């Protein structure tokens, strides 16, 4: 490879390159405008022969599946019918099942005339969640707000004072129960998880071994076995005469399980704090707890927020497992609604209804976690 | 800075100790640990004492003696011979084998589905990417248990009775009793063919190792894939021919209310498998997508600049690098799948938890039963994470400290 002669001035080089070279290039049609529909389709659907084949296959799949689905879900669906026989006669979906059973699916065995109470509790929950979603509101009063929300919800659900009739926990069910299991589980598991995570990073071997043992034991076994343990063994653990109701037993299982998983998320946050922060705190003469509470945890928890939110999502979905120990959560009510023989064939509608509720909560939380991640990343970049 | 350091407290043994031992770091640490351990031991002994007292007052036996007793309940699906006259131990082993069966099948299928969906979501084909995104975003956010119930209802309620069974292929029947397929009738030749298959797989693995070493030494590429394929297909066929080429077919036939003969996929197993694979596949898809996206774009461009086709760029350049990022979260998804397989109890597939649950209900020995479940899952979890950690170390960048 020889260098071009250096005697040329830049102008000459450019002049030379601009000269047309015959036969080396052929005229091509200008590329389609980026904005046009055809141009977009060519680039994204039909860029090559295999790509076109794949597009055709996918389109065929959609043509085969989507119109019958629309036909089933909307066109031929029965929207309102007191008698399931009408649904049997029709070809489409039986949304009448939802019309007839939605109160049961949403609120379970809760006394029918008192359904406004769990409804109000769910509304309060949703408002509290919505308020907590704005990072600007992450102030100490938010914790107070949550305690108040949980207190009012407990009051609404239990009743017994202020003229509200008493409703025992055995009759709680549906969406409020699912939200209570998730919210109380998270609120109780969070402090335990911080202690476990600090324990796992502790310099004291006995404390570290206990934390690691607990975390790995719980993380190594399925939630079902933890729930079984809570439901069967908690009554054995307590002295004779002391009983714990089913809801509390399920909560104990969920809290233990969630705490172990959250502890790993928190530990991730702790590990990403630079050593200098610990050393600086030591240099200031702060005690272990001052150092942890004032310097380390505020930073670590901020970093750990996205994995913590992800843990919330999976835990929200996992509350559905309480069906196995006989609690009436949203999934159980959706399944129980089908035990009514005339409505039995319409399982798709019932599961779809419950599934959409779960989906809405989980999808919202996962989007929120993405938003937070971006926001925190942006904060880190500015610093 | 020139001031001499004060003498260390222990420098002069005759100097009085200024700091009491409980105010020193070391002494405190020991004190705290003693307190913590004592608290845990006290709590544990209190719980154990209560449990023993409760068990005694309820006349429940303790210990693992019940494992030797006759189980007395049937198990609908068993990979080894089992009858109600067998012991609890054998029943639990049957359950464990069923768990392992669903775990292995689920892991293999979920990996395939998840990898395809993850790559599809990054496809340049807009339609493919959107379909994959729809699959991932819809199923990921719905509890797996709900999905299991849905599939189980779909199979047992949605499919026709055996008399009106769907017959998509000759000899294949799909009904609410499961999927029935014709299988070749058993013949010693198949044993020979299986042995040949095992030998072929071993030979291919050895060949792959030798081929890679040779490529590193000489640069010559061995067509391992083709030779391996020929071995894996060819050796069993040869063995089958050597065994007399038996062609008798054991076809399912309708007898009474159900099909007899042939191979059967029960509704319970099918629902569990489909549900676990569809659910775990979404998570694996996201992991694969994240892993591929984490490989710098320059790697793709460099591959294209070398003249490699897109598929080859993916296979030779992107995937090996992405695997380093993918393996750790993939391991935890495998473990999740295994743990979620315990939801079998909800659809009636006799896995370990389901069998142990029956045993607990019959004997009342909940402590032992739950201890067995936990011990087995812990063993499985720890061995798989050990295996995957070993694999991860093997593919890690050489010289990397992490």
């Amino acid at each position: 490879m020889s260098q071009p002669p250096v005697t040329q001035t830049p102008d000459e080089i450019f002049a030379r390159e601009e000269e047309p070279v015959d036969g080396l290039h052929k005229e091509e049609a200008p590329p389609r405008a980026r904005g046009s529909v055809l141009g977009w389709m060519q680039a994204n659907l039909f860029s090559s022969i295999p790509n076109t084949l794949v597009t055709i296959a996918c389109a065929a799949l959609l043509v085969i599946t989507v119109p019958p689905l629309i036909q089933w879900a909307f066109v031929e669906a029965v929207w309102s019918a007191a008698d399931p026989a009408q649904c049997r006669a029709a070809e489409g979906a039986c949304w009448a099942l939802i019309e007839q059973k939605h109160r049961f699916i949403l609120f379970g065995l809760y006394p029918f005339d008192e359904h406004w109470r769990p409804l109000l509790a769910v509304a309060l929950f949703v408002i509290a969640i919505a308020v907590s979603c704005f990072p600007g509101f992450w102030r100490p009063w938010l914790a107070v707000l949550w305690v108040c929300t949980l207190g009012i919800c407990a009051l609404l659900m239990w009743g017994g004072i202020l003229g509200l009739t008493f409703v025992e926990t055995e009759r709680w069910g549906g969406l409020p129960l699912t939200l209570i299991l998730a919210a109380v589980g998270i609120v109780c598991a969070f402090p335990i998880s911080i202690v476990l995570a600090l324990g796992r990073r502790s310099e004291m071997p006995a404390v570290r071994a206990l934390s690691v043992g607990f975390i790995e034991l719980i993380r190594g076994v399925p939630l079902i076995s933890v729930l079984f343990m809570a439901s069967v063994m908690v009554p054995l653990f307590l002295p004779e005469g002391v009983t714990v109701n089913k809801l509390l037993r399920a909560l104990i299982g969920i809290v233990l399980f969630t705490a172990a998983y959250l502890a790993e998320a928190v530990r991730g946050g702790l590990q990403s704090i630079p050593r200098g922060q610990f050393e600086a705190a030591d240099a200031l003469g702060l005690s272990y707890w001052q150092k942890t509470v004032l310097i380390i945890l505020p930073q670590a928890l901020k970093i750990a927020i996205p994995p913590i939110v992800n843990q919330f999502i999976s835990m929200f979905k996992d509350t559905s497992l309480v069906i196995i120990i006989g609690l009436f959560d949203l999934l159980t009510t959706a399944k129980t609604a089908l035990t009514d023989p005339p409505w039995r064939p319409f399982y798709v509608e019932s599961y779809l209804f419950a599934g959409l509720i779960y989906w809405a909560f989980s999808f919202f939380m996962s989007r929120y976690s993405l938003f937070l991640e971006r926001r925190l990343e942006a904060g880190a970049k500015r610093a | 800075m020139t001031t001499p350091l004060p003498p260390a407290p222990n420098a002069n043994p005759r100097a009085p100790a200024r700091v009491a031992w409980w105010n020193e770091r070391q002494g405190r640490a020991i004190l705290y640990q003693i307190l913590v351990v004592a608290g845990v031991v006290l709590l544990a002994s209190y719980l154990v004492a209560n449990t023993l007292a409760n068990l005694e007052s309820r006349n429940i036996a303790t210990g693992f003696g019940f494992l030797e007793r006759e189980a007395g309940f049937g198990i609908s699906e068993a990979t080894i011979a089992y009858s109600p006259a067998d012991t609890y131990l054998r029943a639990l082993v049957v359950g464990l084998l069923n768990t392992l069966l669903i775990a292995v099948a689920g892991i293999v299928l979920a990996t395939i589905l998840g990898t395809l969906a993850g790559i599809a979501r990054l496809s340049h084909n807009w339609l493919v990417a959107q379909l994959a995104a729809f699959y991932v975003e819809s199923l990921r956010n719905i509890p797996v248990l709900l999905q299991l119930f849905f599939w189980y209802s779909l199979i047992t309620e949605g499919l026709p009775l055996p008399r009106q069974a769907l017959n998509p292929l000759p000899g294949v029947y799909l009904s609410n009793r499961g999927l029935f397929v014709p299988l070749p009738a058993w013949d010693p030749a198949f044993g020979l063919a299986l042995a040949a298959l095992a030998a072929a797989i071993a030979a291919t693995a050895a060949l792959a190792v030798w081929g890679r070493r040779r490529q590193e030494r000489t640069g010559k590429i061995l067509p391992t894939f083709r030779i391996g394929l020929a071995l894996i297909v060819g050796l069993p066929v040869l063995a089958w021919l050597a065994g007399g080429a038996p062609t008798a077919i054991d076809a399912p036939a309708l007898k009474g209310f159900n099909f007899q003969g042939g191979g059967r996929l029960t509704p319970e197993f099918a629902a569990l498998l489909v549900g676990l694979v569809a659910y775990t596949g979404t998570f694996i898809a996201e992991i694969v997508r994240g892993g591929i996206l984490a490989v710098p774009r320059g790697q793709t461009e460099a591959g294209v600049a070398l003249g490699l086709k897109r598929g080859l760029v993916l296979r030779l350049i992107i995937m090996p690098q992405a695997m380093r990022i993918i393996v750790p979260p993939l391991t935890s998804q495998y473990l999740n799948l295994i743990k979620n397989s315990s939801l079998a109890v909800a659809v009636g597939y006799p896995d370990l938890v389901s069998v142990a649950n029956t045993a607990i209900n019959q004997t009342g020995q909940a402590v032992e039963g739950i201890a067995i479940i936990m011990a087995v899952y812990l063993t499985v979890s720890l061995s798989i994470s050990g295996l995957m950690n070993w694999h991860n170390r093997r593919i890690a960048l050489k010289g990397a400290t992490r």
Side-chain angles (χ1 to χ4, degrees):
Chain A
M1 289 294 163
S2 60
Q3 294 281 320
V6 278
T7 48
Q8 285 173 331
T9 63
D11 280 339
E12 280 168 331
I13 297 173
F14 285 129
R16 202 171 279 225
E17 291 214 345
E18 276 172 18
E19 278 173 29
V21 185
D22 289 333
L24 277 185
H25 75 290
K26 56 177 190 283
E27 293 279 330
E28 273 190 26
R32 287 186 200 276
R34 282 214 186 135
S36 83
V37 176
L38 276 179
W40 179 87
M41 282 176 74
Q42 191 180 21
N44 291 300
L45 296 177
F46 305 107
S47 57
S48 65
I49 293 171
N51 213 350
T52 309
L53 289 179
V54 169
T55 304
I56 291 172
C58 288
L61 184 75
L62 286 177
V63 168
I64 293 170
T65 54
V66 171
L69 268 181
I70 292 176
Q71 188 90 351
W72 173 83
F74 300 105
V75 180
E76 288 175 3
V78 177
W79 296 91
S80 169
D83 184 8
Q86 273 174 272
C87 279
R88 294 248 184 92
E91 288 283 300
C94 181
W95 301 121
L97 169 86
I98 308 300
E99 189 208 10
Q100 294 289 319
K101 300 275 184 187
H102 71 276
R103 299 270 292 251
F104 176 74
I105 294 178
L106 285 176
F107 304 120
L109 299 171
Y110 209 83
F112 194 80
D113 294 331
E114 307 281 341
H115 276 178
W116 63 273
R117 281 157 55 181
L119 184 66
L120 194 60
V122 169
L124 282 176
F125 254 127
V126 172
I127 292 172
I129 293 172
V131 169
S132 319
C133 284
F134 292 99
F137 292 154
W138 292 352
R139 297 271 176 275
W141 59 260
L142 197 64
V144 180
L145 178 93
W146 267 101
V147 171
C148 290
T149 310
L150 288 179
I152 296 173
C153 287
L155 183 76
L156 278 169
M157 294 296 291
W158 257 305
I161 48 167
L162 299 174
L164 301 170
T165 50
F166 177 73
V167 181
E168 65 269 40
T169 52
E170 273 72 26
R171 303 199 64 178
W172 297 10
L175 184 59
L177 186 68
T178 294
L179 290 176
I180 287 170
L181 285 172
V184 177
I186 289 164
V187 169
C188 296
F190 197 54
I192 303 179
S193 74
I194 293 179
V195 171
L196 281 173
L198 290 174
R200 194 167 183 168
R201 304 252 305 154
S202 163
E203 284 164 10
M204 301 182 229
V207 174
R208 196 167 57 226
L210 282 173
S211 307
V212 172
F214 177 82
I215 292 173
E216 294 303 329
L217 173 74
I218 298 285
R219 273 162 46 91
V221 300
L223 176 55
I224 283 199
S225 64
V226 178
L227 283 175
F228 271 151
M229 189 177 81
S231 95
V232 182
M233 284 169 66
V234 165
L236 291 177
F237 281 157
L238 296 172
E240 258 177 290
V242 182
T243 53
V244 182
N245 70 36
K246 233 191 248 174
L247 177 63
L248 192 57
R249 279 186 256 158
L251 271 175
I252 292 174
I254 288 179
V255 166
L256 290 181
F257 190 77
T258 311
Y261 278 84
L262 274 183
E264 288 298 274
V266 174
R267 181 169 74 115
L270 288 175
Q271 274 177 343
S272 57
I273 304 296
R275 243 190 111 64
Q277 296 287 325
F278 291 86
E279 289 166 352
D282 284 337
L284 285 174
L286 298 182
S287 75
Y288 174 80
W289 287 109
Q290 284 173 324
K291 173 173 76 176
T292 306
V293 173
L294 298 175
I295 311 280
I296 305 303
L297 275 183
Q299 303 181 64
L301 290 183
K302 191 181 161 195
I303 295 170
I305 283 172
I308 287 174
V309 175
N310 285 336
Q311 201 48 56
F312 285 1
I313 300 173
S314 84
M315 183 231 176
F316 175 72
K317 287 184 290 177
D318 280 347
T319 58
S320 60
L321 264 62
V322 295
I323 189 174
I324 284 159
I325 59 169
L327 281 181
F328 262 76
D329 76 319
L330 183 57
L331 178 57
T332 322
T333 53
K335 193 173 155 60
T336 313
L338 297 169
T339 51
D340 196 359
W343 296 104
R344 231 183 112 125
F346 309 111
Y347 54 92
V348 176
E349 291 82 346
S350 183
Y351 288 139
L352 209 58
F353 180 65
L356 270 179
I357 297 176
Y358 278 112
W359 183 87
F361 276 94
S362 311
F363 184 73
F364 167 74
M365 282 194 276
S366 69
R367 283 295 130 124
Y368 178 67
S369 135
L370 281 182
F371 154 79
L372 270 186
E373 225 161 303
R374 267 198 298 272
R375 204 187 121 96
L376 294 175
E377 249 171 44
K381 264 178 208 153
R382 268 201 304 275
Chain B
M1 284 298 147
T2 49
T3 353
L5 285 168
N10 294 344
N12 182 356
R14 266 182 287 169
R18 290 240 178 91
V19 187
W21 67 268
W22 59 83
N23 272 342
E24 241 177 328
R25 229 191 165 129
Q26 291 255 307
R28 275 216 178 176
I30 291 169
L31 183 69
Y32 285 147
Q33 292 183 67
I34 289 172
L35 284 179
V36 169
V37 172
V40 170
V41 168
L42 270 181
L43 183 71
S45 54
Y46 172 72
L47 295 180
V48 168
N50 276 335
T51 308
L52 288 178
N54 279 320
L55 288 176
E56 200 163 329
S57 71
R58 291 179 203 186
N59 281 325
I60 298 174
T62 49
F64 289 93
F66 75 98
L67 288 176
E68 300 297 321
R69 292 212 305 273
E70 186 184 312
F73 59 89
I75 295 180
S76 56
E77 293 174 57
T79 43
I80 54 173
Y82 172 81
S83 78
D86 283 319
T87 58
Y88 279 110
L89 184 64
R90 191 164 177 94
L92 287 170
V93 170
V94 170
L96 172 62
L97 289 176
N98 280 341
T99 293
L100 292 180
L101 182 68
I102 195 86
V104 170
I107 284 177
V108 170
L109 293 178
T111 308
I112 296 172
L113 178 68
T115 311
L116 287 180
I119 294 174
R121 224 183 148 176
L122 292 171
S123 165
H124 285 246
N125 189 313
W126 180 83
L127 204 54
V128 171
Q130 292 305 308
L131 281 176
F134 175 76
Y135 156 67
V136 169
E137 291 297 342
S138 60
L139 291 194
R140 198 161 72 115
N141 290 315
I142 296 178
V144 61
L145 188 56
L146 196 154
Q147 297 187 34
L148 290 183
F149 284 146
F150 175 80
W151 292 116
Y152 189 60
S153 293
L154 194 70
I155 293 172
T156 53
E157 305 260 335
L159 289 176
L161 293 168
R163 282 182 191 287
Q164 292 99 40
L166 301 176
N167 195 352
L169 293 169
V172 176
Y173 296 97
L174 193 60
S175 74
N176 64 1
R177 301 295 182 89
L179 176 72
F180 291 82
V181 292
L183 280 184
W186 177 252
D187 190 281
F190 290 112
L192 207 60
L194 275 181
L197 181 68
I201 290 174
T204 309
L207 194 73
V209 171
W210 180 76
R212 199 177 315 125
R213 292 225 181 101
R214 196 183 71 142
Q215 187 182 347
E216 274 165 17
R217 216 171 45 241
T218 62
K220 283 181 193 151
I221 298 175
L222 190 76
T224 313
F225 182 74
R226 283 181 206 169
I227 299 178
L229 196 68
L231 276 177
I232 286 172
V233 174
L235 274 187
V237 170
L238 280 179
W240 174 71
L241 284 174
T247 52
I249 294 283
D250 180 15
L254 192 62
K255 280 191 188 131
F257 292 109
N258 205 351
F259 289 94
Q260 301 287 326
R264 180 185 183 201
L265 206 60
T266 62
E268 292 79 24
F269 184 83
L272 189 61
L273 187 65
V274 172
L276 287 178
V277 166
Y279 183 73
T280 314
T282 61
F283 289 92
I284 295 181
E286 286 299 89
I287 291 168
V288 169
R289 185 171 77 111
I292 293 176
L293 282 178
V295 177
R297 226 189 124 59
Q299 297 287 324
T300 315
E301 286 163 0
V304 174
L306 285 174
L308 296 176
K309 285 183 192 141
R310 280 197 70 82
L312 279 181
V313 171
L314 193 67
R315 195 159 70 82
L316 295 178
I317 295 176
I318 306 300
M319 275 322 240
Q321 300 185 62
M323 280 313 277
R324 295 197 188 104
I325 302 157
I326 289 172
V327 166
L330 193 63
T331 309
S332 69
Q333 283 311 319
Y334 286 172
L335 294 177
N336 277 347
L337 188 143
I338 294 172
K339 284 183 267 170
N340 281 337
S341 75
S342 61
L343 296 176
V345 67
V347 291
Y349 177 72
D351 79 322
L352 176 72
V353 173
S354 175
V355 171
N357 199 25
T358 314
I360 290 172
N361 288 336
Q362 286 192 354
T363 61
Q365 292 193 291
V367 182
E368 289 84 354
I370 292 171
I372 291 173
I373 297 177
M374 290 191 155
V376 169
Y377 276 98
L378 261 185
T379 315
V380 173
S381 297
L382 291 180
S383 6
I384 291 202
S385 48
L387 198 69
M388 293 302 268
N389 283 343
W390 169 79
H391 174 70
N392 202 30
R393 264 199 310 279
R394 223 170 57 94
I395 63 172
L397 279 177
K398 300 288 181 289
T401 46
R402 272 187 298 170

